[in-house]
Amino acid sequence: WILFESFLMILRSRKRVDLNEDPGSCSPTLEADDPLSETQERKKRKTTQNRKPKPTYNVREALVVLWVAEQRDLQQPIHKLSYDVLHSIVRLLLPPLPTKHVKIFPDLLTEHIGRHIKPREVVTKAALLEFVCESSVKFNKYAGCLVFMNAAVLFMNMDNPVYANSFNSGTKNVVWYGSATQGVENSVMQALIHAGEPKSTVKHVLLFCRAAQGEPYMYCGRLGRKTYTEKAPIEFKFTLMDWPSLANAVEFKKYLDGEED
């Protein structure tokens, strides 16, 4: 039973499979001009927004759960332990991984484009990254750019008094500034400059922004073509690859060109 449960945990983590869903319950595809499709889309969006993320384990964590199940001094069987208890045990036994050893899957974040992510009551970068990576991550909390195994993640404060971070609805671009101490020779800046190139391990650049410190982060999707300046702080101009989804997101509109609705 324990092996079977752990196998299901691995499946949920690697493929995000809903094992409680009836495969035959999928609704037929509707044409774009069908009025029912818009209604169903609104209902689906509302349901998705209110849905809490399902408990998932990666392979590394599932092995720890197996180890916990083997311990004879547990006061109750493992299948009676809540997810929160198991989650705490796993985090206690597994040290956080450096970002360079963690892979990110942008496709799993598509439903969050243009929405604020609030994985916990207390809004922190650590909680956000734990939600995105599905594991604890070791990182510099002051960094505006974190380089992972296959992606770079950018963080942006819209109220920054030093750097004019901004979105432009006309060009569908975003301006992001690197640190004043990081020139073009810096390894993090080099990872950004060469992101997406065939020989680069950084295949994706993802953006999270927030109105001010202490506010929740919004996922702004993937970033594409870029230009950059040569002197620090380097000014990057990225294309917002998920602009269609962002433009239709109510929560995102207040960030456009720095203007409130």
Side-chain angles (χ1 to χ4, degrees), residues 119-138:
R120 297 181 185 172
E121 292 298 326
V122 179
V123 181
T124 64
K125 191 180 292 186
L128 172 70
L129 289 177
E130 186 171 322
F131 174 81
V132 171
C133 304
E134 296 187 345
S135 62
S136 297
V137 180
K138 184 179 180 180

Side-chain angles (χ1 to χ4, degrees), residues 211-229:
Q213 188 172 358
E215 295 293 322
Y217 281 98
M218 172 182 290
Y219 177 50
C220 299
R222 300 162 299 154
L223 302 181
R225 295 188 309 272
K226 57 190 174 295
T227 60
Y228 59 91
T229 58

Side-chain angles (χ1 to χ4, degrees), residues 116-118 120-125 156-159 209-217 255:
H116 290 104
I117 298 179
K118 304 175 184 177
R120 297 181 185 172
E121 292 298 326
V122 179
V123 181
T124 64
K125 191 180 292 186
M156 188 168 76
N157 286 352
M158 299 303 295
D159 69 336
C209 76
R210 61 182 177 180
Q213 188 172 358
E215 295 293 322
Y217 281 98
Y255 296 122

Side-chain angles (χ1 to χ4, degrees), residues 11 105 109 124 149 245 259:
L11 280 181
F105 300 93
L109 298 173
T124 64
M149 186 184 297
S245 298
E259 297 178 358

Side-chain angles (χ1 to χ4, degrees), residues 58-244:
N58 56 36
V59 176
R60 182 166 167 259
E61 294 170 338
L63 291 176
V64 172
V65 173
L66 277 175
W67 180 84
V68 172
E70 293 293 328
Q71 306 310 303
R72 299 179 179 276
D73 55 350
L74 287 176
Q75 295 183 355
Q76 56 181 322
I78 189 173
H79 66 275
K80 292 185 178 181
L81 296 177
S82 68
Y83 172 72
D84 289 336
V85 172
L86 281 177
H87 183 80
S88 299
I89 294 174
V90 169
R91 293 295 176 265
L92 181 64
L93 296 177
L94 285 179
L97 286 173
T99 56
K100 65 180 180 180
H101 296 313
V102 178
K103 184 175 287 189
I104 291 180
F105 300 93
D107 290 345
L108 300 182
L109 298 173
T110 301
E111 66 182 44
H112 300 288
I113 294 174
R115 292 169 46 198
H116 290 104
I117 298 179
K118 304 175 184 177
R120 297 181 185 172
E121 292 298 326
V122 179
V123 181
T124 64
K125 191 180 292 186
L128 172 70
L129 289 177
E130 186 171 322
F131 174 81
V132 171
C133 304
E134 296 187 345
S135 62
S136 297
V137 180
K138 184 179 180 180
F139 66 98
N140 178 2
K141 66 178 181 179
Y142 299 108
C145 175
L146 297 176
V147 180
F148 289 78
M149 186 184 297
N150 65 325
V153 176
L154 305 183
F155 299 92
M156 188 168 76
N157 286 352
M158 299 303 295
D159 69 336
N160 194 314
V162 179
Y163 305 125
N165 299 319
S166 62
F167 293 95
N168 189 303
S169 58
T171 60
K172 303 178 180 59
N173 288 343
V174 61
V175 177
W176 180 88
Y177 289 88
S179 169
T181 61
Q182 295 176 327
V184 291
E185 301 85 5
N186 180 269
S187 60
V188 175
M189 295 296 102
Q190 281 291 307
L192 272 184
I193 291 171
H194 297 290
E197 296 180 0
K199 294 184 179 180
S200 174
T201 59
V202 178
K203 303 301 181 183
H204 313 280
V205 180
L206 311 180
L207 175 65
F208 291 88
C209 76
R210 61 182 177 180
Q213 188 172 358
E215 295 293 322
Y217 281 98
M218 172 182 290
Y219 177 50
C220 299
R222 300 162 299 154
L223 302 181
R225 295 188 309 272
K226 57 190 174 295
T227 60
Y228 59 91
T229 58
E230 296 291 337
K231 295 182 179 180
I234 300 177
E235 177 189 283
F236 286 89
K237 288 185 179 179
F238 291 98
T239 300
L240 295 160
M241 296 178 63
D242 296 302
W243 176 256

